[in-house]
Amino acid sequence: MSVDVLKVDALRAAHGQLVAVREVSFDVARGEVLALVGANGAGKTTLLRTLAGVHPAAAGRVALCGDDITALPAHQRVRRGLAMVPEGRRLFGDMSVRENLRVAGEHGRRGRWDLAAVLEALPTLQPLLERPAAALSGGQRQAAAIGRALMSNPELLLLDEVSLGLSPIAVDGVYDSLAALKQERLTTLVLVEQDLDRALAFADRVLCLREGRIVLRGRPGELTRAAVTAAYFGMEAIEEGVR
Ligand code: ATP
């Protein structure tokens, strides 16, 4: 029996009095691509940050490959195979792309991803290796942030709004890189995506959050766009709303 890479049970997370994630439960299988969608403020970023361990869980449980990691700090989750590409792609701006990748490799796990493998998967990084990260365009920075996350050899890669602030061409470039990862089915992806059409086109499964709760979940082929839009904007409170 294969163990889910990620298992989230009744997870709750708050910002002071404001509960941003409410009793959220879902599983992600190895190699699967799950998209989290929802309107601004729905709780997607808080959920991702809680999974990564940079925001505390107020209740509930997170398991990575069968192990309870709920109480572990972020850096220990990285060592166990969880990496996050945060919104805003925080790279070390005055360090070169090569140095950013090297540092990430030193703090992660050993595995198939090293500099050569990352450059093969993300060839656009090759000519940028010696450039300071601060000098990159938005799309280049996003590719470097994905490469940096891969250097830690994650089982599970969390990506927060990879398209944010990028030109349509740059977004296509980032998704081409993600498509290559998806095709291998070795790295499990959970991504927050504002663009509903892109989420439905790319992911194996979609979860829609509203006010911190999962209001719709399913495979793109089983969900109508109308059902997702309704859930997204709160026109209907439906869980498992299939056509
Ligand atoms: P967006 O797409 O705008 O990033 P989101 O779905 O990722 O939205 P979150 O950023 O997780 O949603 O926000 C969920 C709720 O928590 C919102 O009501 C937001 O105002 C609140 N919130 C988020 N970050 C903080 C914070 N640092 N302090 C207080 N409240 C916060």
Side-chain angles (χ1 to χ4, degrees):
M1 191 190 78
S2 77
V3 176
D4 284 318
V5 165
L6 180 68
K7 192 163 173 46
V8 180
D9 282 315
L11 190 67
R12 168 181 281 251
H15 300 280
Q17 297 291 312
L18 188 143
V19 181
V21 173
R22 297 165 188 269
E23 281 66 50
V24 162
S25 300
F26 62 94
D27 302 337
V28 193
R30 186 174 305 279
E32 198 179 14
V33 177
L34 179 79
L36 299 173
V37 302
N40 284 343
K44 307 176 301 290
T45 296
T46 305
L47 172 57
L48 223 56
R49 287 170 53 81
T50 308
L51 298 177
V54 290
H55 188 91
R61 183 172 178 273
V62 180
L64 182 68
C65 302
D67 296 328
D68 188 341
I69 59 163
T70 320
L72 291 185
H75 68 276
Q76 285 185 25
R77 297 186 196 206
V78 173
R79 275 195 217 118
R80 284 172 180 248
L82 186 154
M84 171 144 141
V85 178
E87 195 184 338
R89 332 146 190 131
R90 288 178 209 97
L91 297 166
F92 298 113
D94 47 5
M95 279 169 38
S96 68
V97 171
R98 182 191 295 280
E99 286 167 325
N100 269 283
L101 295 175
R102 183 182 55 75
V103 169
E106 283 172 1
H107 290 86
R109 307 191 304 166
R110 297 274 150 251
R112 62 185 283 264
W113 292 108
D114 56 13
L115 183 61
V118 166
L119 292 176
E120 198 175 318
L122 305 168
T124 54
L125 292 180
Q126 179 75 57
L128 306 173
L129 277 178
E130 310 314 327
R131 282 217 209 144
L136 304 182
S137 70
Q140 293 169 337
R141 220 174 303 158
Q142 193 60 275
I146 294 170
R148 182 182 59 174
L150 290 176
M151 288 292 284
S152 68
N153 279 291
E155 291 280 350
L156 173 64
L157 188 55
L158 308 177
L159 299 124
D160 196 2
E161 302 209 23
V162 286
S163 337
L164 198 74
L166 301 185
S167 69
I169 289 173
V171 174
D172 287 344
V174 169
Y175 269 90
D176 285 347
S177 307
L178 295 179
L181 282 183
K182 178 183 173 185
Q183 204 175 3
E184 292 183 337
R185 297 283 178 195
L186 293 174
T187 314
T188 306
L189 304 179
V190 173
L191 49 103
V192 167
E193 179 49 79
Q194 280 281 357
D195 180 341
L196 205 49
D197 290 322
R198 203 172 271 276
L200 289 168
F202 186 70
D204 299 313
R205 250 183 333 132
V206 175
L207 294 186
C208 182
L209 282 179
R210 183 157 43 81
E211 293 171 10
R213 294 183 199 284
I214 298 176
V215 288
L216 187 75
R217 62 176 97 206
R219 298 185 176 279
E222 304 163 352
L223 298 169
T224 61
R225 198 178 189 290
V228 184
T229 309
Y232 197 98
F233 293 111
M235 276 117 80
E236 294 168 59
I238 34 177
E239 165 102 354
E240 310 294 350
V242 293
R243 66 180 143 199

